[in-house]
Each structure stands twice: as structure tokens, then as C-alpha cells.
Amino acid sequence: GRCGTLPALAGLLLLAHAAAAQESAPDIFSDVRQEGEFISVTATAELAVPRALAYAVLTDYERFAEFIPDLEYSRVVLRQGTGVVLEQKGTMRFLFFSQPMDVRLAVIESYPERVMSRSLGGSLRGFTGRYELLETAGGVRIVYNARFIPAFVLPEILGTFIVRSVTVKNFAMSLQEMQRRNAREQQRTRAPAPGTPAAGMPATPAN
């Protein structure tokens, strides 16, 4: 019956949340709250990468679908100065829940410390979002805040769990992409120039 179902469901939720946390290398603090019709989301993490690199990933809109799960496409339809109009399509998934999503966003870029967005239409009514990138001694602290009204029905009991899971998963994928790009950049800068002998190898004598 219902009493037996809820503990089992709670167990599944805990397992899903633990799996998401385990997959995301950086520690992520997240909070999701229902505020009337609106849902408010916060996610924060610190990374040992340059702030400019983190900013570059967050504004690499056309490649989002390469590293963000369940995003079918993300494309720039207009760019004027620091303003961008984006169209994105994907699916919000959590356990048995699956909801097609499409959004059109107006984005304002403030290099290298801030990216702000608001909805122009689609699945998230009244959406506003904001990334803040704060330099730290070891790299960058990234703070994400968003507020929106879903233009679809979320399960009554699981609504905030679903939003938290999807937010943490997508945030973690973005952070991991930052780490991958940083690792590639470090490898590139450490690589010897063409014609330079490897460490420990004698140089070829000139004729």
C-alpha cells in the first residue's frame, strides 16, 4: 500500500542523490525551495581552475550538449555585443519522471565575473538565472541562482527532489568540463616545443 511505497521511494531517492554526488568530483552545495508558484535553486562549488576558463565553459553555449546530459541542443540565434539569445531543447529526467523541455533565453554576459539570463518563452515561466564567478586563492568559486515557475506539472511529493537532482547533475557536468579543459591546457603548456628533446635525452649534435 501507500505506507509501504513511501519508504521504498525514499530509499530510491537517497540512492539516486548519493550516486549523483559521487559522480560529481567537486563538492557541490545545493538548495531548492518552493516559494509560492516559484521554485528557487542555488548551487555553489569551488574549483582549482582559472576564473576565465570557468567563464569560457559557461558561455560556450553551442557545445553545451556535448557535456550536459539530456540536452538535445543549445544554439545561439542572436548575438549583439554582450547580449545573446539562446534556444535550448532537452529532457528533464529523474527516476521514472521524464519531461520534454524547451526554452528561449536572453543572456547578458559580464566577463569574467557574471552571466545572467531570463526566459523569453518555453517550459520555464518567469525564469531568471545568474552565475557569479568569484576568484579564490586556489581558483574560482561558482555560485548559481535561478528562479522559475514550471510550465508543466511536477509530481507533488517529488518536485523539489527532481529539480535538485537535475540541477546538481547539470552543474556537476559543467564543473567536470572545466576540469577537463584545465587539464588539457596544463598538458599543452607542459608539452615540449617541436624539436625540443624530451627530459633526460641528449640533444642531437649539430653537423
Side-chain angles (χ1 to χ4, degrees):
R2 183 177 176 81
C3 290
T5 302
L6 285 175
L9 190 56
L12 282 173
L13 289 171
L14 287 172
L15 286 172
H17 187 70
Q22 195 172 36
E23 288 173 6
S24 58
D27 290 331
I28 298 173
F29 168 80
S30 64
D31 185 46
V32 178
R33 298 184 183 185
Q34 187 86 40
E35 299 174 347
E37 284 188 289
F38 281 88
I39 293 177
S40 292
V41 178
T42 301
T44 306
E46 292 194 14
L47 278 186
V49 306
R51 180 167 68 162
L53 184 147
Y55 182 92
V57 171
L58 294 177
T59 54
D60 195 3
Y61 313 113
E62 301 277 357
R63 295 186 60 192
F64 279 4
E66 296 178 19
F67 55 87
I68 295 181
D70 300 323
L71 184 62
E72 184 179 328
Y73 66 74
S74 174
R75 59 188 177 214
V76 175
V77 296
L78 178 67
R79 179 182 285 277
Q80 289 185 331
T82 59
V84 179
V85 175
L86 291 181
E87 286 183 351
Q88 297 178 337
K89 183 178 180 181
T91 305
M92 179 182 283
R93 300 183 197 275
F94 181 78
L95 299 177
F96 52 81
F97 178 81
S98 179
Q99 173 65 44
M101 300 283 292
D102 65 272
V103 293
R104 188 177 177 93
L105 300 172
V107 181
I108 299 295
E109 301 173 344
S110 300
Y111 177 84
E113 67 271 359
R114 188 178 304 109
V115 183
M116 298 185 296
S117 58
R118 61 180 178 85
S119 63
L120 298 175
S123 304
L124 303 177
R125 293 190 289 117
F127 172 89
T128 56
R130 182 185 186 102
Y131 279 102
E132 294 278 355
L133 293 89
L134 311 169
E135 280 190 312
T136 64
V140 63
R141 177 183 299 117
I142 304 168
V143 181
Y144 174 67
N145 290 287
R147 194 167 185 262
F148 61 89
I149 301 172
F152 50 87
V153 178
L154 281 167
E156 186 176 349
I157 298 175
L158 303 179
T160 54
F161 281 103
I162 292 170
V163 173
R164 181 192 293 270
S165 173
V166 172
T167 299
V168 169
K169 180 172 66 173
N170 291 348
F171 193 57
M173 294 300 102
S174 298
L175 299 179
Q176 288 174 10
E177 178 66 10
M178 294 171 194
Q179 291 176 316
R180 282 191 293 269
R181 293 192 192 187
N182 189 54
R184 287 197 298 266
E185 180 62 20
Q186 290 180 336
Q187 276 188 326
R188 188 186 66 79
T189 55
R190 285 199 300 264
T196 303
M201 298 290 291
T204 304
N207 292 329

